[in-house]
Amino acid sequence: MDRDVVIVGGGPAGLAAAVECSRQGADVLVIDQNDLPGGQLFKQLHKFFGSKAHSAGIRGMDIGRTLLRECEENGVEVWLSSTVIGIYDSNLIAIVRETAAGKDFIRIRARKILLASGGTEKAISFPGWTLPGVMGAGCAQTMINVNRVLPGKRVLMVGSGNVGLIVGYQLMQAGADLAGIVEIAPKIGGYGVHAAKIRRAGVPFYLCHTVIAAGERDGEVCSALIGEVDAVTRKIIPGSEKLLDVDTICIAAGLRPLSKLARLMGLKHVFVPALGGWMPEHDGNMQSSNEDVFVAGDIAGVEEANTAMDEGRLAGIAMAHALGYMDDASFRKAGDEIRKRLESLRLGPFGKARFDAKSQFMGRC
Amino acid sequence: MMNDVADVVVIGGGMQGLSTAYFLLKKGRNVTVIERGDIANGTTSRSDGDIFVCDSTPGYFTKLQKAALDEIVALTHEIDDFDWMAKGCVILAENEEQVEIAKKQYQEKIADGIRCRFMDKHDVHEDEPNTAPDIPGGLEFPDGGSLNPMLFAYSLTRAIRQMGGKIRCFTTVTGIDVSPEGVLRGVRTDDGDILCSTAVIACGVWSREIGMMAGLDIPITPMKGDLLVLEPNVYITRRKTMDIGYSLLRHKKAGGADEKTFEEAHGIGFLIEPTNEKNALIGFSKYPADSTVSSLGVMQAMARRAIRFFPIIKDMNVIRAYAGVRPWTPDHEAIVSATDVQGLYVNAGHAGDGIKLGPISGKMMSQLICGEQTDFDLAPLRLDRFKEVRV
Amino acid sequence: MDGTILQNGYPSLDELRQMGRFPSEERFRKGPVAVIECIQQIPCDPCEGACPFGAIHVGTPITNLPVLDENRCTGCGACISHCSGLAIFVVNKAYKPGMATVSFPHEYLPLPENGQIVDAVDRAGSFVCKAEVIRISNAPANDHTPVITIAVPLEAADDVRGMKRLGHEDSYAGEAERGIKAAEGDDVLVCRCEEISIGDIKKAISEGATTLTGVKRRTRAGMGLCQGRTCHQLIERMLQNASNVPVEPDTVRPPMVPVSMDVLGRSADDE
């Protein structure tokens, strides 16, 4: 089976790319491992930042619905519960597709491939980190916002980046208590406005603190021992330990690009700490070191859904252009518009580090 | 940069290089091993740990393999544990025609002094009830076993260091210094030169390029093999089992584009090796290619082949696939030999038997270098045998 | 300027005033007006479009802080629910003699009822005073961000920014139980599938492993069912701490997820 474009990952980047690419006339297939499309969008019940062009002020789940509708209008095919198990020479993609009838093994050759497989949560290890009740913040978010199950009654959040802050807030909305937010750095990592929402609910921040161990009762978490760290050595200051009564510890230690497929394909990688670590190198059109392969979203450096969607759009038109569905002039014009928008998302104290990091290896974004 | 002196420089930190260094150190030589990557970075880390005597050419090579097995058993008492499991192995025939081949092999093995039992259909299923019901027979070899090649390499490494041997990892050989008279003077690396009168090329698949640095033609080419790893805690069979095609394939120029089917072109056969970690390795393939990236078609063909012998396997999960390149010679036997350059030796080209033959080859290489009588006549393993073939 | 918001989790009143986030007292005395407590340059501008009177300006770039034209602002509160950061409030210091109202977003259920007495809290969530709910706005335009208006004493108007959640007993049960039973120090697990500890990884590094592959081959960490999904990143960090250089990512091997032999073996349509 042959396709113009196969997009691996139906999150914000993948779906936005699919919409743009199919709009130009390309035949697009989106493959997603989950049984629901949208990636993280349908877990994101909060309103987005950004500008009007970025669906600012709209909740993630509603953005997801719009993208899916647009995919449908443009004839994009979306395969759910389908996993790419490998991509081989001549763009041969091996897929295991699960349907009501069972599992199928399908091989597809694509003229262009977009890897939009997202990011993966970083772990931290401490005594008890393998107990039930210790989980990634993303996992907790899936439980409350997709499965509608509360992971616990009293939660400690470890990490004060936007993920920790947003998930902490949503856990309270879902009915849990937030016992505190622990952050090893001397300042909060995420947006002040997210932190302020949490503080208004009376939740303490433990800055310069880390989790030392998880307590255990009947095989589950019953407490968290935290302690203050020396700002320089990051060692626990003796006597600073505090025992918190919690039944759940959420880890929001950041994300890194999920680039396994990219590495299997041998794409050139770069190490960019500001964007989560190793990631496939790409240019301003999201093209990787392999001319047939594009990357967008967290795999191309961990940022957020708005930048992911814009990167997806860039990749979408770049693939359409490469396949001859778009002329040079309109491609350049549309690309410049998106790049300008992307640039505006990478301004300010939070965006600048990401802007600089991206600029480092691709000239100007 | 660090310039250095050694009695012997061994180029290559894989199975052959480490074994050679180990036996030379036991003889009191001062040895430096040069490895361009980490220990056992090449084919050693991509091997199964099969140590059997069931698949060799009758006569000399079967006896050599039997001695190889004895060397490995001896090493279990000398160096740290390397997961040696002496469980024997089974070879299965797929049809009546192959049963006849099995009967012939049985005679050959007995003649070479190898313990062996012929199994009919009933015996096969009594021995291992998971075998496909229509498998008509096979051979059982009670001797031999398997080991973990990585642990083996690390245990040898520790022993080498304990005896005062030097291993320089992440150091690349950039040249071999030979005098105009054809005498070895030293080995050049990207981290300094080493003066030495003796060096051993033990670089497996990469021996050819190192040989060229000294003007030698070492006819070793890569022959790819793929393996699948099954999830942990599965039980299929208690022993290493393969189809008789494994030994048949060994003796023909397997693989190549001129073969009819995909299976033939990629030398697909069946092999299962239960590991100490309670998962299982599934093989095998054999085709000329210089890549360690698993091939999708080969992975699929191996899966189909395995299900044919053990239908129970079909619901088990593959968690990983990996591939390596066997150092292949024109007659698929190893090179353990002196060369036209005085002081320069080759210990490479062990095809799919590098782990098994490592210790015996290393031992004989140390004997050769020290001017002692070798355990076996090395004539069939000489490098210059290929010159004659070409003339 | 971050001020103290990233230390305390909220901006101080002084900072807000210094940064011009507060309307003038003169304007406050005239009636309800928006207070935009947005002090960081984050890329966001929905408030600009939300104001029916054009009283909020962000412009380009969108990281500009919103600027309120206090004379155009009518205190209608349309902006409150449109602020993705829930950082806009409306304060009416001319509500009644000695009394003010504060309107704030409140995204917790259950909602209070009109006339209900609730606990008003400040920016740190601390109790300030009892307050009467005088208005609840939850129109479709709010898009599920209800806006609550409560009446508070005038002197509390600059501090009160929310109310305690309702129908919610604090789950705190008393003294926490220490219960630390898991292995500590070098015995803490890194690879759960193969049960490899921090000590095992340290040993591999001391024996010369400098790469993930080197550690994997020496310890089997990451060779289990999950194929290193979690532990590789932990090991990467340990290697990095040991050498101070970025550690090459591990070789990736197919399949990306476990796949059954049966499914894998299904015949290919082409080759």
Side-chain angles (χ1 to χ4, degrees), chain C residues 7-268:
Chain C
Q7 274 81 51
N8 299 330
Y10 58 90
S12 72
L13 202 51
D14 282 348
E15 278 167 352
L16 288 168
R17 288 204 171 110
Q18 278 165 22
M19 293 185 72
R21 302 288 84 196
F22 261 54
S24 64
E25 276 308 313
E26 189 192 346
R27 173 66 188 80
F28 270 127
R29 278 194 294 275
K30 286 184 187 162
V33 65
V35 181
I36 305 177
E37 303 196 355
C38 175
I39 64 165
Q40 290 175 310
Q41 294 173 314
I42 53 182
C44 188
D45 71 358
C47 53
E48 182 171 46
C51 180
F53 306 102
I56 302 178
H57 179 73
V58 176
T60 7
I62 56 168
T63 41
N64 288 341
L65 291 185
V67 175
L68 180 77
D69 181 341
E70 62 179 36
N71 295 319
R72 281 196 191 185
C73 174
T74 67
C76 72
C79 50
I80 298 177
S81 65
H82 283 85
C83 172
S84 302
L86 306 190
I88 306 183
F89 307 86
V90 167
V91 176
N92 179 6
K93 293 189 181 179
Y95 174 55
K96 278 179 189 173
M99 291 292 281
T101 65
V102 179
S103 306
F104 52 85
H106 187 76
E107 295 182 323
Y108 300 102
L109 292 174
L111 291 175
E113 288 175 15
N114 263 324
Q116 191 171 341
I117 304 298
V118 297
D119 292 342
V121 298
D122 62 14
R123 295 180 183 83
S126 304
F127 175 78
V128 175
C129 59
K130 291 281 180 188
E132 185 187 347
V133 174
I134 59 168
R135 188 160 176 259
I136 300 156
S137 151
N138 195 12
N142 285 34
D143 188 16
H144 306 285
T145 301
V147 174
I148 311 290
T149 303
I150 58 176
V152 297
L154 188 57
E155 60 272 21
D158 289 343
D159 290 323
V160 168
R161 286 297 176 265
M163 57 173 274
K164 279 218 165 115
R165 278 196 277 171
L166 297 175
H168 184 83
E169 290 297 311
D170 193 308
S171 64
Y172 181 63
E175 189 100 337
E177 182 181 335
R178 194 175 168 90
I180 295 168
K181 294 167 190 164
E184 299 185 59
D186 279 358
D187 293 332
V188 173
L189 285 187
V190 174
C191 165
R192 308 165 72 153
C193 301
E194 297 285 323
E195 301 189 347
I196 310 297
S197 70
I198 288 179
D200 295 330
I201 308 292
K202 282 185 180 169
K203 182 166 170 269
I205 294 174
S206 75
E207 286 190 357
T210 56
T211 61
L212 267 171
T213 307
V215 170
K216 189 169 88 174
R217 286 182 185 152
R218 284 173 176 87
T219 62
R220 291 190 57 77
M223 290 171 97
L225 203 54
C226 91
Q227 291 290 291
R229 206 169 253 249
T230 304
C231 68
H232 274 177
Q233 164 253 328
L234 293 170
I235 298 167
E236 212 172 272
R237 206 180 300 157
M238 290 178 70
L239 282 165
Q240 224 141 295
N241 290 341
S243 69
N244 269 324
V245 291
V247 175
E248 286 294 317
D250 185 39
T251 320
V252 174
R253 307 205 179 278
M256 293 297 112
V257 296
V259 52
S260 76
M261 290 283 276
D262 183 33
V263 171
L264 178 64
R266 304 259 164 90
S267 285

Side-chain angles (χ1 to χ4, degrees), chain B residues 90-262:
Chain B
V90 168
I91 288 183
L92 296 176
E94 197 180 354
N95 48 41
E96 288 306 329
E97 187 191 340
Q98 289 189 355
V99 170
E100 293 311 310
I101 297 170
K103 283 179 178 163
K104 180 168 165 278
Q105 285 190 358
Y106 169 76
Q107 298 296 345
E108 290 167 359
K109 296 297 164 193
I110 295 294
D112 282 329
I114 305 290
R115 294 205 295 156
C116 178
R117 173 170 79 110
F118 177 78
M119 298 193 287
D120 64 14
K121 193 170 183 172
H122 172 80
D123 296 335
V124 164
H125 295 94
E126 193 181 64
D127 180 69
E128 200 47 78
N130 286 336
T131 315
D134 64 325
I135 296 297
L139 297 174
E140 180 195 27
F141 294 86
D143 296 322
S146 60
L147 53 78
N148 178 327
M150 289 314 300
L151 285 185
F152 196 24
Y154 293 131
S155 297
L156 280 171
T157 299
R158 275 192 292 273
I160 288 168
R161 289 189 169 137
Q162 272 157 21
M163 288 190 284
K166 213 185 286 180
I167 302 181
R168 288 170 63 181
C169 290
F170 302 100
T171 304
T172 304
V173 168
T174 53
I176 292 178
D177 188 11
V178 181
S179 76
E181 297 76 33
V183 180
L184 181 77
R185 289 197 294 217
V187 173
R188 285 195 285 273
T189 79
D190 60 355
D191 188 28
D193 297 346
I194 307 172
L195 283 177
C196 60
S197 57
T198 310
V200 183
I201 298 174
C203 311
V205 167
W206 301 275
S207 298
R208 178 165 230 159
E209 53 189 281
I210 298 292
M212 271 155 57
M213 293 177 183
L216 297 177
D217 179 15
I218 304 174
I220 294 176
T221 53
M223 183 67 78
K224 187 176 171 185
D226 300 73
L227 283 171
L228 305 175
V229 184
L230 292 188
E231 63 190 300
N233 300 315
V234 294
Y235 179 80
I236 300 144
T237 173
R238 67 189 189 285
R239 287 183 299 194
K240 164 125 179 177
T241 303
M242 53 207 145
D243 81 65
I244 206 162
Y246 189 82
S247 48
L248 296 181
L249 261 171
R250 190 185 153 75
H251 304 300
K252 60 187 273 218
K253 188 194 118 297
D258 51 335
E259 305 278 356
K260 288 188 292 290
T261 65
F262 179 85

Side-chain angles (χ1 to χ4, degrees), chain A residues 49 71 76 89 114 136 138 189 217 256 278 293 298 304 308 326:
Chain A
F49 293 105
C71 278
V76 173
D89 286 351
L114 171 64
R217 182 173 52 226
R256 60 190 173 123
W278 288 100
V293 183
D298 279 354
E304 37 92 25
M326 215 175 171

Side-chain angles (χ1 to χ4, degrees), chain A residues 88 92 94 105 107, chain B residues 294 296-297 299-300:
Chain A
Y88 300 86
L92 176 65
F105 192 90
R107 298 156 56 118
Chain B
S294 304
L296 177 62
M299 286 167 65
Q300 294 193 272

